[in-house]
Amino acid sequence: MRVINFNPGPAALPQPALERARDELLDFEGSGMSIMEHSHRGKVYEAVHHEAQERLRRLLKLPDTYTIVFSTGGASMQFALVPMNFLPPGRSADYVLTGGWSEKALDEAKLVGATRVAGSTRLSDGRYVRVPTQAEVQLSPDAAYVHTTSNNTLYGTQFHTFLDTGPVPHVCDMSSDFLWRPTDLSRFALTYAGAQKNLGPSGVVVVVANRDFLRTGRKELPKILRYQTQADNDSMYNTPPTLAIYLVRNVLAWLEGEGGLEAMERRNRAKAELLYGTLDALAGFYTAPVERASRSVMNVVFRLPTEALDEQFVAEAKQAGMVGLKGHRLTGGIRVSAYNAVSERDVATLVDFMKAFAKAKG
Ligand SMILES: *Cc1c(COP(=O)(O)O)cnc(C)c1O
């Protein structure tokens, strides 16, 4: 029996994508072996690789001026690769701090070159309960790039309108809200997303980049660390994570079959309305710390009147078949991660549980 999985990442995958992987595991399309036993240089794997790229391009309506690169090392590796590639000596990069992951991105960039904090919503106790408005961010017109985080997985905040960085290249970590709705990625110079939140298993990171921006990357780097190398070699400069990319392909096929990003947005908004509506209606029992305008559609955080009740909530939810609800160790409380693979019915089941729990303990 499968449980209802609210894990923050690695997270729930659509069951049809997993069933397809099961059915294709031993004998992929009559080839007599699994996809992960195929050469990455062979026609069988190449077709999967290109199908994943084509589906992504179609879903995102991506112009030809943009390229899709499969990278590895997680989003955390991109925290280092972005400044290594695009922050040359004598330049500075702007970072907007909105949570733990953006702090980590900045920490890596500091080890590479000059940085500036262009905006931060960090509270004195270290928490974040909102993202900044455009007016609160002071961007430097000659920054090498501006780095932002579109959705803050730990704190449950999200940019619903992206910052306008003008002529300065905008680099965005979209790990936890990639493909949650139709998004025009051509306003960014480079976006990246670790697959294990909303796209597939861990092991692969999707990078969507403007081809001209990639060409500005530093050449004084080992080849393997240059984005341009992966772009020039169709993400097969070395052996790509073939199984992870295959699973991303399955998820993308499912996504398109369900009606694409418009359908995902409708679903995700309905789930978020259900969750936040319940939190607001039961505000005497549940506390939702995030400011309304910054509430994340992907990660919904809240707490109960006591830590003991938080723990009881998690334990009883588990007994009712729902897992992954414990908040991040930095924030405590409860976190509901409701990515694309989490259905409206899953969320309705949780909401019923939340109502019953509040009634019993409130
Ligand atoms: C999970 C996450 C990361 C880190 O991903 P890794 O694959 O563990 O490196 C970075 N940024 C955001 C927004 C995340 O949600």
Side-chain angles (χ1 to χ4, degrees):
M1 229 276 281
R2 281 176 61 79
V3 293
I4 299 180
N5 181 358
F6 294 107
N7 270 331
L13 289 168
Q15 190 159 321
L18 294 175
E19 286 166 348
R20 183 173 181 184
R22 176 197 61 199
D23 295 345
E24 294 179 339
L25 185 64
L26 295 182
D27 181 8
F28 181 77
E29 290 181 353
S31 65
M33 61 177 105
S34 74
I35 190 65
M36 63 189 132
E37 297 167 287
H38 275 276
S39 164
H40 61 295
R41 309 268 176 217
K43 284 200 163 40
V44 174
Y45 174 72
E46 270 190 5
V48 169
H49 192 87
H50 292 142
E51 186 189 329
Q53 288 172 336
E54 281 155 24
R55 285 188 183 278
L56 257 177
R57 190 171 281 284
R58 205 157 50 223
L59 279 162
L60 289 164
K61 300 188 169 69
L62 207 60
D64 284 341
T65 46
Y66 278 70
T67 186
I68 296 167
V69 167
F70 296 124
S71 185
T72 54
S76 302
M77 181 65 93
Q78 319 313 308
F79 295 167
L81 290 181
V82 165
M84 287 168 84
N85 278 267
F86 304 111
L87 180 52
R91 303 285 305 277
S92 175
D94 275 357
Y95 277 73
V96 178
L97 299 187
T98 52
W101 293 117
S102 55
E103 289 177 3
K104 287 208 161 119
L106 173 65
D107 287 346
E108 290 291 65
K110 280 182 183 164
L111 294 170
V112 176
T115 57
R116 210 177 129 261
V117 174
S120 170
T121 46
R122 187 184 158 104
L123 299 173
S124 54
D125 62 5
R127 290 181 311 129
Y128 294 82
V129 294
R130 63 187 187 91
V131 295
T133 61
Q134 183 79 36
E136 289 175 303
V137 175
Q138 276 87 44
L139 299 172
S140 162
D142 50 350
Y145 60 83
V146 182
H147 184 280
T148 64
T149 312
S150 56
N151 182 72
N152 300 283
T153 327
L154 277 58
Y155 293 99
T157 65
Q158 187 175 27
F159 279 101
H160 291 283
T161 313
F162 296 118
L163 294 176
D164 182 355
T165 66
V168 179
H170 191 167
V171 174
C172 186
D173 176 1
M174 291 196 170
S175 292
S176 52
D177 65 354
F178 194 59
L179 302 185
W180 82 273
R181 65 168 175 183
T183 308
D184 176 15
L185 293 192
S186 71
R187 59 177 292 145
F188 299 92
L190 183 148
T191 51
Y192 59 89
Q196 74 272 21
K197 309 287 163 64
N198 205 19
L199 187 62
S202 61
V204 66
V205 181
V206 171
V207 179
V208 176
N210 180 289
R211 295 182 199 271
D212 289 338
F213 180 66
L214 277 199
R215 274 187 214 107
T216 67
R218 297 191 66 199
K219 311 288 183 290
E220 306 77 15
L221 283 178
K223 272 189 211 161
I224 186 72
L225 300 177
R226 298 181 214 159
Y227 285 112
Q228 187 67 52
T229 304
Q230 291 298 356
D232 287 344
N233 291 279
D234 196 16
S235 303
M236 292 204 232
Y237 174 72
N238 66 323
T239 317
T242 54
L243 180 63
I245 293 169
Y246 158 79
L247 285 161
V248 165
R249 188 285 305 258
N250 286 5
V251 172
L252 294 172
W254 170 82
L255 247 165
E256 283 200 284
E258 293 292 295
L261 302 187
E262 289 79 8
M264 287 306 126
E265 177 170 22
R266 270 196 302 281
R267 261 185 222 181
N268 287 325
R269 288 201 187 280
K271 291 184 293 182
E273 270 168 38
L274 206 52
L275 283 164
Y276 287 114
T278 305
L279 291 174
D280 290 341
L282 298 171
F285 187 70
Y286 296 111
T287 309
V290 173
E291 287 187 13
R292 231 161 251 274
S294 296
R295 284 174 165 181
S296 169
V297 168
M298 299 280 100
N299 310 99
V300 176
V301 301
F302 58 92
R303 51 175 64 253
L304 283 79
T306 64
E307 276 179 31
L309 280 170
D310 286 343
E311 273 171 36
Q312 217 179 331
F313 181 94
V314 170
E316 287 188 22
K318 189 170 182 193
Q319 279 175 349
M322 290 173 280
V323 304
L325 292 164
K326 195 170 155 58
H328 191 274
R329 64 194 147 75
L330 284 177
T331 61
I334 309 295
R335 169 172 53 179
V336 183
S337 299
Y339 301 118
N340 289 345
V342 174
S343 71
E344 288 177 62
R345 210 175 66 194
D346 294 340
V347 169
T349 304
L350 174 62
V351 160
D352 286 344
F353 172 82
M354 286 167 68
K355 288 177 184 162
F357 194 87
K359 198 168 175 193
K361 320 278 177 187

